Amino acid sequence: MVVGDVTTSTDVLVIGAGPGGYVAAIRAAQLGLDVTLVEKGAYGGACLNRGCIPSKALLNGSDLASEAGQAEELGIYADPTVALDEMMSWKDGIVDQLTSGIEQLCTAAGVNLLKGTAEFAAENKIRIVHQGEGQGSESLKFDHCIIATGSRPIEIPGFDFDDEPIVSSAGALNFETVPAELVIVGAGYIGMELATVYSRLGSDVSVIETLEQALPGYQEDVASIVRQRAARLGVDFHFGYTADSWAESDGEAVLTAVPADEAAHDSDIELTADKILVAVGRRPVTDTLGIEAAGVETDAQGFIPTDSRCRTNKEHIFAVGDVAGEPMLAHKGSKEGEVAAEVIAGEPAAVDYRALPAAVFTDPEIGTVGLTEHEAANEGITPVTGEFQFQASGRALTANRTEGFVRIVAAKETERVIGAQIVGPEASELIAEIAAMIEMGAKLQDIGSTVHTHPTLSEAVMEAAQNARGKAIHRQN
């Protein structure tokens, strides 16, 4: 038992061991700083434990089951049975392996690990309440602090995650059985990925979205391919509606949705469900930090504004990852964590988001980076684009996955690559090549003149670049 409050000190305090926090801690330790990492839950944060990793495991498992059951065209006849409890156990094993790996990496780097809940006591001091009865607390003085506390799912009025049929994305990744009827509120990337999982596993999935398209923020010709594929999987969409309330009736939940725009829809709708997944976005975890004691400013949504070096309004306090604002991407948080550690160590580091890729792991996948054609024009850049359809790709045909395309955006005058949008098989992997090209200031010719292995999906990237130059071989220019 620890009695009283012990005060120690550290060069760098990192709060939160998600993708931003643990990367920041390891990098700072590599640079010779004394680092303390505080985490109240499992190492890896929401991404590893309740988001990126478990969702991709279920996407892969459900894809295997779905493909095996729909491969008659290939001469394969099967009717797979999915034992969800075993799939969940496999998924949990992956999470456990990775979380323990992060702890080992931190320890090997010399990071001091503390379990507990952190709250600012002053601008250079934090109080940590340790978990477990009788474990007490301690105070920690720091020279620099990196806030990496992540985000949590947004609740909407009347849909409390504590109510039995209502779940967040975390709850949907731990169902004990496949729900016969699943209603998803929100057609963003989280809602669409989980709609993909459970429609493949046999749920009757309905999606409610306030706006008039799935995946708002993505170009219509990109999002529509994903929406159409989801519809073929059996997903029922209700665009232009807002979830208003729910009630229990005959052992089922009945959700009432009202028109977001009465001019577009003239009546309410009711949907029955075994589970209701609310996936309308995430909010930063800054309300439990006592952040006002440190004098750190937040915006109206609770995000912490930062500069290109990840500094807050307090020069010695940094914020990385979801708490620092959109886009909420794990790899963005990791890069910001590296930059913050390097700035603290006196290195000339800064974050450049121009080559920051994003991916949606739906069926088919989406990968984007940089500017769209429209965004380029708005910035005063005359764009040129090149496209290549996967239906003309030999590798896509042999994989029986031909939906979608690669589009590359370049500045017309210089042919410098400034953006790309991919929708199709392995888009999340293919986008990395174009992100690298943007990072290094490459031109269309650099992609087009690079020999790509045949037959691979990456040839579509080469052909799109050549199409922008009027030199594609396997499509008309």
Side-chain angles (χ1 to χ4, degrees):
M1 177 181 294
V2 177
V3 180
D5 193 281
V6 179
T7 300
T8 55
S9 63
T10 188
D11 293 339
V12 182
L13 169 68
V14 182
I15 308 173
Y22 83 77
V23 169
I26 291 173
R27 186 70 185 116
Q30 289 173 343
L31 292 167
L33 298 167
D34 180 73
V35 184
T36 300
L37 175 60
V38 181
E39 171 57 55
K40 68 178 181 179
Y43 295 102
C47 172
L48 200 159
N49 292 279
R50 303 177 298 280
C52 316
I53 298 301
S55 64
K56 303 315 165 281
L58 295 185
L59 279 160
N60 185 65
S62 63
D63 183 44
L64 287 173
S66 178
E67 287 296 303
Q70 301 178 45
E72 292 87 354
E73 184 181 358
L74 281 67
I76 299 171
Y77 298 87
D79 185 16
T81 298
V82 175
L84 188 63
D85 59 338
E86 294 179 28
M87 185 180 289
M88 291 292 182
S89 178
W90 169 71
K91 175 261 296 179
D92 292 341
I94 294 169
V95 171
D96 291 343
Q97 177 181 339
L98 292 174
T99 54
S100 63
I102 288 172
E103 185 174 2
Q104 291 168 19
L105 286 170
C106 289
T107 301
V111 176
N112 304 305
L113 300 176
L114 290 178
K115 278 289 187 180
T117 302
E119 184 175 348
F120 284 98
E123 65 175 32
N124 284 93
K125 185 177 180 181
I126 203 150
R127 184 169 179 268
I128 303 164
V129 178
H130 296 295
Q131 298 171 335
E133 185 177 351
Q135 293 302 302
S137 65
E138 66 179 288
S139 293
L140 191 67
K141 291 183 178 180
F142 56 85
D143 295 328
H144 296 88
C145 177
I146 300 174
I147 301 171
T149 46
S151 62
R152 66 169 72 94
I154 293 174
E155 285 186 316
I156 56 177
F159 293 80
D160 193 323
F161 292 140
D162 290 333
D163 292 336
E164 173 56 33
I166 313 300
V167 296
S168 66
S169 54
L173 295 171
N174 289 287
F175 285 150
E176 294 181 358
T177 59
V178 176
E181 294 178 302
L182 173 64
V183 173
I184 299 176
V185 181
Y189 74 93
I190 294 173
M192 290 298 292
E193 287 184 3
L194 289 169
T196 301
V197 168
Y198 285 103
S199 60
R200 287 170 174 169
L201 294 177
S203 293
D204 288 334
V205 179
S206 297
V207 177
I208 298 169
E209 170 56 50
T210 301
L211 301 179
E212 292 294 340
Q213 74 167 64
L215 297 169
Y218 289 88
Q219 290 175 287
E220 170 59 25
D221 62 346
V222 172
S224 65
I225 291 174
V226 175
R227 183 186 68 243
Q228 291 163 12
R229 172 61 177 158
R232 289 197 296 276
L233 286 171
V235 178
D236 189 16
F237 289 99
H238 301 276
F239 295 114
Y241 283 91
T242 300
D244 181 68
S245 62
W246 72 277
E248 196 166 323
S249 177
D250 298 327
E252 283 189 312
V254 179
L255 181 147
T256 300
V258 300
D261 181 358
E262 293 185 357
H265 305 282
D266 57 8
S267 62
D268 299 350
I269 58 173
E270 290 188 346
L271 300 170
T272 58
D274 298 292
K275 296 288 186 180
I276 298 172
L277 163 61
V278 177
V280 296
R282 300 179 66 85
R283 69 172 77 252
V285 179
T286 51
D287 55 336
T288 59
L289 285 171
I291 207 167
E292 60 281 351
V296 175
E297 295 175 355
T298 60
D299 66 15
Q301 287 76 45
F303 292 106
I304 302 174
T306 59
D307 62 16
S308 64
R309 307 189 78 188
C310 302
R311 277 195 173 101
T312 68
N313 63 299
K314 293 291 184 178
E315 189 169 336
H316 68 296
I317 299 179
F318 297 70
V320 303
D322 289 1
V323 292
E326 297 283 359
M328 293 189 186
L329 300 170
H331 47 282
K332 165 183 168 284
S334 295
K335 183 60 180 177
E336 290 172 340
E338 286 187 44
V339 167
E342 290 167 1
V343 170
I344 290 170
E347 297 195 0
V351 181
D352 185 348
Y353 298 108
R354 288 176 296 178
L356 179 70
V360 182
F361 295 84
T362 43
D363 183 7
E365 293 182 351
I366 295 173
T368 63
V369 67
L371 302 176
T372 66
E373 184 179 9
H374 180 69
E375 289 168 342
N378 285 344
E379 291 193 10
I381 301 170
T382 301
V384 61
T385 64
E387 290 189 11
F388 191 78
Q389 304 289 328
F390 282 111
Q391 63 186 5
S393 161
R395 186 68 187 96
L397 286 163
T398 60
N400 203 30
R401 292 175 178 263
T402 58
E403 294 172 296
F405 57 84
V406 176
R407 177 192 295 131
I408 294 180
V409 184
K412 186 174 183 179
E413 183 177 352
T414 63
E415 290 197 357
R416 194 173 300 279
V417 179
I418 56 175
Q421 302 83 45
I422 303 176
V423 55
E426 305 297 336
S428 62
E429 302 287 347
L430 294 174
I431 200 65
E433 176 183 354
I434 307 172
M437 292 293 154
I438 296 173
E439 176 66 28
M440 65 188 292
K443 298 184 177 183
L444 292 168
Q445 182 180 359
D446 296 311
I447 300 176
S449 63
T450 299
V451 179
H452 288 65
T453 307
H454 175 78
T456 62
L457 297 170
S458 68
E459 290 174 293
V461 175
M462 175 185 69
E463 291 279 2
Q466 292 291 64
N467 176 243
R469 306 176 69 223
K471 296 184 178 182
I473 298 298
H474 294 98
R475 66 155 291 172
Q476 291 184 348
N477 293 293

